[in-house]
Amino acid sequence: MTASSIDAGGLALGGDLGGTSTRILVTDLVGRPLGRGRAGGGNPTAHPATARDALAAALTEALRDVDPGQVRAGVLGMAGGGALRDPAIRAAYDEAWRTAGLPGRPDVRSDVEIAFAAGSDATTGTVLVAGTGAVAGRVEEGRLVATSGGHGWLLGDEGSGFWLGREAVRAALRWAGTGEEPGPLVRSVLAVLPEVGSDPRTALVQHAYASPPVALAALAPLVTAANDGGDPVAAEIVHTALGHLLGLLDRLPEPRPGEPVVLAGALTARGTAIGHGLRRHLGERGLDVLSAAEPVTGAVAIARRTAAAGSGP
């Protein structure tokens, strides 16, 4: 769609700057998508040397067929947004914004805020994000006012994809040297090792330490698949993960009647054991449970609200 065909009301731009990828979505003010862009990881904490360039590339792609000057509000969501308190990092992001022809400065929001907005039109409620990491948050009037968890692999993230993957390796390590036949979960973990040989314990340790710690999240699907197949070891891990995630919510103020609880992240998806368990437990509490769409849609939803209120860039 060309710039001349866009309604005079203007545009909204949302961005999800993750550790794995950067996604940009441009819509008109009623939510019709007009441009999308995608690039590598745009979080400056995870990619300090390349994050700015990833943002610039995704913006360029998303704005290819629209006039950036028509953007009335822009929201960028990211985890650990405190990195932008560094004047040099913030200046680099602002430069990428201006170079793309966008007016003003982007409104940088927590990834928790945009996850909530991706699941509900409400401005007050609770959100649980469980993907590679795990965090819960309380949102009031569109702003994050309290969090639980979200401390990263070293200090927390219990119940997350990383945590599931680490527990899978730990289960395999407990098996190593027992002389017993491995169960489904342990067999699947051993199958991803390049070479096991006669010393699976050493192979497991070397595999775990060969990559950044969060790479263990890649093993999370092995846990959920083994659980679905009836493996008691995997079932215990999934049960414990569910307890950790519910615990994150329990450490926040209890949702008031009628307020939504938004579930976001791959582990909370419908059809998964953890997603089913969360919905069952929360439903038993009489809570209104909603599922989030992709996070970038939450960022653009906040931008549309900002533009409608006349407080954009």
Side-chain angles (χ1 to χ4, degrees), residues 35 232 279:
R279 286 172 176 80

Side-chain angles (χ1 to χ4, degrees), residues 123-161:
T123 58
T124 296
T126 303
V127 58
L128 171 67
V129 184
T132 300
V135 62
R138 171 74 180 170
V139 176
E140 296 184 357
E141 300 304 319
R143 289 288 183 174
L144 185 66
V145 298
T147 58
S148 174
H151 300 138
W153 66 269
L154 181 62
L155 300 176
D157 278 350
E158 294 89 350
S160 68

Side-chain angles (χ1 to χ4, degrees), residues 36-92:
R36 288 182 179 268
R38 183 173 181 176
N43 188 304
T45 301
H47 304 282
T50 60
R52 182 265 179 206
D53 291 340
L55 172 60
L59 287 172
T60 297
E61 182 179 354
L63 295 165
R64 180 173 294 124
D65 295 324
V66 299
D67 177 6
Q70 292 195 38
V71 172
R72 300 290 180 259
V75 171
L76 302 178
M78 69 173 71
L84 291 191
R85 296 191 186 101
D86 182 322
I89 296 177
R90 181 69 204 226

Side-chain angles (χ1 to χ4, degrees), residues 128 227 238-239 241-243 245-246 249 263 267-285 289:
L128 171 67
N227 170 77
V238 167
H239 176 76
L242 180 60
L245 296 175
L246 289 169
L249 290 170
L263 300 181
L267 292 183
T268 74
R270 293 185 180 276
T272 66
I274 291 176
H276 173 75
L278 288 169
R279 286 172 176 80
R280 177 170 59 84
H281 281 276
L282 296 175
E284 290 172 354
R285 301 180 188 181
V289 182

